[in-house]
Amino acid sequence: MATRLEQRQRTEDRILAAARQLFGERGFDRTTIRAIATAAGSDPGLVMRYFGSKEKLFAQATAIPAAGPIDGTPDQIARQLADVLSSKLTDEPTAALGALRAMFSHPAAADEIRAAMAAQQRQVAALLPGEDAVLRSGVIGALTLGLVISRHLVRLEGLDAAPEQLMAVAGPLIDELVKGSRALE
């Protein structure tokens, strides 16, 4: 028999999963606490009790997990960044997509995404050679964001290719950006 703490954790997990799905599909404005509760097989009052508000639930449900520490030689950094992009192209990043959808109409979502991306960009830039490391790191972030949005949200033609095919094109770009092998004018 599950303890109350275990039951609560399972309920919270169901609510967060439903919130991720609905925020990802509908965005912040068109997702209601009632719809989340229904999808989670819960009560709207319980959702509010556990999470406090729709905004706090949104923040937890759409928190973009960090890709993990990136470090090593330029070759290792390029491989790590390519692996992160490949995983985002392979498995639809539901929480991130919910945040991305909402960022256009909900300022808190935009701030959260910007802060998460800026932190990742600074971490990567600190490891890259050259004076233009911040610029190249920003381009890597934009490439990643653009491919993820274009594949999973916009569903652009051609980007429905296998992740390996997409990485055959994007991987060398990441490698070149990490190493700074082409002089930027």
Side-chain angles (χ1 to χ4, degrees), residues 28-29 58 99 102-115:
F28 180 83
D29 292 332
F58 175 80
M103 75 180 288
F104 298 107
S105 63
H106 194 63
D111 291 343
E112 180 180 330
I113 290 170
R114 191 176 303 107

Side-chain angles (χ1 to χ4, degrees), residues 27-38:
F28 180 83
D29 292 332
R30 294 186 302 142
T31 301
T32 65
I33 292 294
R34 184 174 305 282
I36 292 168
T38 299

Side-chain angles (χ1 to χ4, degrees), residues 9 14 16-17 32 49-50 65 69-70 74 79 81 101 104 106-107 121-122 127 131 142 144-146 163 172-173 185:
Q9 187 60 55
R14 282 194 328 269
L16 280 171
T32 65
R49 185 168 141 217
Y50 287 170
I70 303 287
R79 178 80 258 143
L81 292 171
R101 262 194 189 98
F104 298 107
H106 194 63
Q121 179 184 348
R122 282 190 300 274
L127 300 169
E131 293 179 18
T144 300
L145 183 63
L173 297 172
E185 298 174 4

Side-chain angles (χ1 to χ4, degrees), residues 50-66:
Y50 287 170
F51 295 94
S53 69
K54 180 178 169 181
E55 288 77 11
K56 289 179 183 175
L57 174 58
F58 175 80
Q60 279 192 19
T62 60
I64 300 173

Side-chain angles (χ1 to χ4, degrees), residues 59-60 62-70 80-81 83-85 87-88 93 95-96 112-113 115-121 123-124 144:
Q60 279 192 19
T62 60
I64 300 173
I70 303 287
Q80 291 168 35
L81 292 171
D83 288 347
V84 167
L85 175 56
S87 72
K88 290 178 180 180
E112 180 180 330
I113 290 170
M117 290 190 70
Q120 290 173 359
Q121 179 184 348
Q123 178 200 6
V124 170
T144 300

